[in-house]
Amino acid sequence: MSVLLFGILAVLALITAALMVTARNLVHGVLMMVANFAVIAVMYITLNAPFVAVVQVAVYAGAIMVLFLFIVMLIGEQQLTFDEQLGGQRLYAAVLGLLLAGILLITLVSAAPYAGQSQLTEEFIGRQNVQLVGAQLYTEYLLPFEAASVLLLIAMIGAVVLAKRRLL
Amino acid sequence: MPVPVQYYAILSALLFSMGVVGVLLRRNIIIVFMSIELMLNAANLLFVAFARYQNVVDGQVFVFFVMTVAASEVAIGLALVMALFRSRQTTDVDDISTLKG
């Protein structure tokens, strides 16, 4: 993958993320979030991770976006936008955010060389990759996989219970 | 010319910081939620990038689990937002201060 393609995708990801965080209109915010997820999915493909890319599109750009849009529609966009009273928090948030970005950049960039720069092996390419992920998932990570299914069941029951009654 | 893994680290750090700033800056609970998703995505990106440069698939399996947890989190979180809105008619996180001492 060329640096140019990475640069374009990175700029797109950063722009969509910034627009999402600063969105006044909630529907625009959700759509920017989906655009960001789609850009990341393309990046996964260029990283030779087609399985993760497809799951990203199905779960994030599909299911999660629909959930967010449903909530925005159910509550009503007008009721969801209001004047946000921030006081002096804006300055603190900016300073802390920049501080965190600096710390993360220093640590991650200095840790990155230890990830190795090895060349791609054949088995990483295309359909083989999906087979490899599947094999790992159903052998070494079988127990976490089952736990994930239980977690999804719990989340489903929890969402139904929470949405059903007047709880708060 | 391949992309150095540091570039992915930089992008991931910037995306994560944007998510953190979103949580700190915004009072709208749905935007706060989306910022949390942004942070999870930044971590996922780094998982996949490092897995790619180490020639292992374990990172991708981990991303799969992170996505599972994110999906459950969104389902529960949005159900909570609905329940909250029904009882309080607000999505401002500053209005939810009953537990504040």
Side-chain angles (χ1 to χ4, degrees), chain A residues 27-154:
Chain A
V27 178
H28 294 172
V30 175
L31 291 179
M32 280 302 136
M33 180 185 74
V34 175
N36 186 60
F37 290 166
V39 172
I40 301 280
V42 175
M43 217 169 243
Y44 287 156
I45 291 174
T46 61
L47 277 168
N48 292 296
F51 172 72
V52 179
V54 170
V55 174
Q56 166 95 358
V57 170
V59 173
Y60 274 110
I64 289 181
M65 175 201 67
V66 169
L67 271 181
F68 271 108
L69 283 179
F70 255 124
I71 293 297
V72 173
M73 278 193 317
L74 279 174
I75 296 182
E77 213 274 320
Q78 294 88 357
Q79 307 222 47
L80 279 169
T81 36
F82 49 86
D83 243 3
E84 299 186 22
Q85 302 295 326
L86 277 168
Q89 282 183 40
R90 214 159 264 170
L91 182 71
Y92 289 123
V95 171
L96 286 174
L98 281 177
L99 200 67
L100 180 76
I103 292 169
L104 278 178
L105 280 176
I106 291 167
T107 47
L108 282 179
V109 170
S110 61
Y114 300 106
Q117 297 272 14
S118 48
Q119 288 302 304
L120 265 187
T121 52
E122 275 305 306
E123 56 193 1
F124 245 73
I125 295 159
R127 216 175 116 219
Q128 279 280 19
N129 168 267
V130 182
Q131 288 169 353
L132 272 177
V133 173
Q136 280 281 19
L137 202 57
Y138 286 111
T139 54
E140 209 184 328
Y141 293 96
L142 185 61
L143 187 64
F145 182 74
E146 298 289 344
S149 68
V150 177
L151 176 74
L152 283 174
L153 180 69
I154 294 171

Side-chain angles (χ1 to χ4, degrees), chain B:
Chain B
M1 184 189 146
V3 184
V5 71
Q6 280 94 337
Y7 287 16
Y8 286 101
I10 293 168
L11 176 64
S12 178
L14 289 177
L15 283 176
F16 190 91
S17 311
M18 266 188 198
V20 172
V21 169
V23 171
L24 291 177
L25 267 182
R26 298 304 298 261
R27 294 282 77 103
N28 195 324
I29 199 163
I30 292 183
I31 301 260
V32 171
F33 243 117
M34 297 198 301
S35 302
I36 292 170
E37 294 304 313
L38 192 63
M39 285 191 264
L40 285 169
N41 252 283
N44 279 351
L45 179 65
L46 206 57
F47 260 130
V48 173
F50 276 13
R52 151 74 176 76
Y53 283 92
Q54 290 226 0
N55 268 326
V56 291
V57 289
D58 298 56
Q60 296 179 24
V61 177
F62 256 85
V63 168
F64 175 77
F65 289 127
V66 172
M67 281 175 179
T68 317
V69 174
S72 344
E73 177 233 324
V74 166
I76 294 288
L78 289 177
L80 276 173
V81 171
M82 267 318 276
L84 186 76
F85 187 79
R86 249 190 258 156
S87 63
R88 298 283 180 87
Q89 274 74 47
T90 182
T91 52
D92 189 338
V93 286
D94 276 351
D95 287 347
I96 311 157
S97 53
T98 316
L99 282 179
K100 220 177 194 171

